[in-house]
Amino acid sequence: MTQAALHPMLNVAIKAARAAGSIINRASLDLDILKINTKSPNDFVTEVDQAAENVIIETLLQAYPDHGILAEESGRAHGNKHSDYVWIIDPLDGTTNFIHGFPVYAVSIALAFRGKIEQAVVYDPCRNDLFYATKGRGAFLNDKRLRVSKRTRMSDALIGTGFPFRRGDNFKRYMKMFEEVMTQCAGLRRPGAAALDLCYVAAGYYDAFFETGLNPWDVAAGSLIITEAGGLIGNFTGEADFLNQREVVAGSPKIYGQLVQILAPYTRVIKPEDEAAAEGGEKTSAADAVAAAAAPAKKRGPVRIKKDAAASGEDAPV
């Protein structure tokens, strides 16, 4: 898909991502003067996050003033809260890496229409790598078509993950998952930017990825890029409801099936009625109208995998 053939909304998202990337690259040259605030322990926001988010929102709303916005730093404060179109934005995924000069971070922008992701851009300003997808038209890195890996055995698989880092995260639960996956795969990696991790699955660099504690803006764009590259993404039980569940697993179909089998016992899926009860009868999650419905259109039931199928690398029913 050449630049000229791109969907107009995707072109605007690319323009916004590159503008944010320019701000980030300029700021990376002067990290010693960077102003850093702490949202919570180990969770940082910089003036760069905010400047990048502002230029993204300005670019998108200039082109589509009636669209809605769901952004990491400003939530739903901008745009039309009742629009069928909602842009889901992470202006700088990997802020901790950025602060330290570790060159793994990205801009993530997705467009949901009536709760389904239709456009996606993840831009890595360090490498000038642009990952993008339009629903039904494939996923690309720059001008190269992306396909997930063809590996079929967990013992050959390289798997990405993200460590829990916020107060209240369940470290013991994660360490059990970590140990179980680590002993069954070829290697685990944790670069620290979930949006890029998902793109690396789409590109076949990883065979799969899993993480807990993620927000919709961390995974929205990457989720479409993965499915358009022939991969699967879901929550730990293999269902399509993952954006508002704070758990995600993605991968090439055969490795995905085997990883779901490992992770399913660790699921913490939140049912709508449970969330409503916890919130005193009202859902007030940041994702509001988008997150519950922003998963891919086709719902999958729980993945049930025969042990011999997982061991042999056969296709797992989904």
Side-chain angles (χ1 to χ4, degrees):
M1 189 160 52
T2 63
Q3 201 78 7
L6 297 182
H7 191 285
M9 289 182 183
L10 184 62
N11 263 326
V12 171
I14 290 170
K15 179 183 174 185
R18 288 196 184 278
S22 294
I23 289 171
I24 293 164
N25 275 340
R26 282 198 300 275
S28 72
L29 304 175
D30 291 302
L31 288 176
D32 53 329
I33 62 168
L34 194 65
K35 291 190 180 72
I36 303 166
N37 295 315
T38 304
K39 290 193 276 190
S40 62
N42 301 327
D43 197 0
F44 305 102
V45 60
T46 70
E47 55 196 335
V48 179
D49 294 71
Q50 288 158 340
E53 182 166 296
N54 289 343
V55 78
I56 291 168
I57 292 171
E58 185 182 322
T59 304
L60 297 176
L61 291 183
Q62 189 173 19
Y64 301 107
D66 294 332
H67 284 193
I69 300 287
L70 173 63
E72 178 171 15
E73 306 309 335
S74 58
R76 297 187 69 109
H78 300 279
N80 176 1
K81 294 174 181 61
H82 306 292
S83 176
D84 285 338
Y85 288 97
V86 179
W87 293 94
I88 308 172
I89 301 162
D90 191 340
L92 177 52
D93 183 36
T95 299
T96 304
N97 286 349
F98 173 76
I99 290 167
H100 288 82
F102 185 63
V104 181
Y105 42 82
V107 180
S108 177
I109 304 172
L111 176 65
F113 175 66
R114 293 181 179 170
K116 298 176 181 63
I117 308 296
E118 297 208 334
Q119 310 291 340
V121 176
V122 175
Y123 179 54
D124 176 349
C126 296
R127 295 166 188 76
N128 194 26
D129 275 345
L130 187 75
F131 297 88
Y132 57 93
T134 293
K135 190 169 180 60
R137 296 182 67 180
F140 295 82
L141 166 55
N142 302 323
D143 289 324
K144 181 186 172 189
R145 180 76 183 260
L146 295 179
R147 298 300 299 176
V148 295
S149 81
K150 294 184 170 66
R151 289 186 189 86
T152 59
R153 295 186 302 183
M154 273 292 288
S155 58
D156 296 331
L158 182 64
I159 294 175
T161 188
F163 302 148
F165 62 91
R166 295 179 183 92
R167 183 177 289 164
D169 286 342
N170 190 329
F171 290 96
K172 288 182 179 175
R173 169 185 165 228
Y174 179 79
M175 291 309 293
K176 288 177 185 173
M177 285 188 277
F178 185 90
E179 181 180 4
E180 199 164 342
V181 175
M182 183 174 62
T183 55
Q184 294 189 49
C185 71
L188 270 178
R189 299 291 181 267
R190 199 282 189 189
L196 277 178
D197 285 324
L198 293 170
C199 291
Y200 290 172
V201 173
Y205 306 158
Y206 293 152
D207 302 291
F209 170 78
F210 72 98
E211 188 166 354
T212 60
L214 293 174
N215 291 300
W217 44 80
D218 297 311
V219 298
S223 69
L224 180 65
I225 292 168
I226 281 178
T227 56
E228 287 296 318
L232 297 174
I233 184 165
N235 62 30
F236 283 3
T237 55
E239 294 164 352
D241 179 19
F242 60 89
L243 276 192
N244 61 337
Q245 294 297 350
R246 300 185 69 77
E247 62 180 44
V248 68
V249 56
S252 60
K254 293 183 180 181
I255 301 299
Y256 172 87
Q258 294 167 72
L259 193 54
V260 164
Q261 185 183 41
I262 295 169
L263 297 176
Y266 300 97
T267 189
R268 292 289 186 277
V269 166
I270 304 158
K271 297 187 173 115
E273 57 269 27
D274 297 340
E275 191 174 81
E279 296 290 349
E282 263 184 67
K283 276 187 75 174
T284 54
S285 99
D288 255 28
V290 178
K298 186 180 174 186
K299 286 271 184 181
R300 295 189 182 90
V303 175
R304 295 179 181 84
I305 307 157
K306 295 183 296 183
K307 286 192 176 177
D308 55 345
S312 66
E314 292 171 19
D315 275 305
V318 294

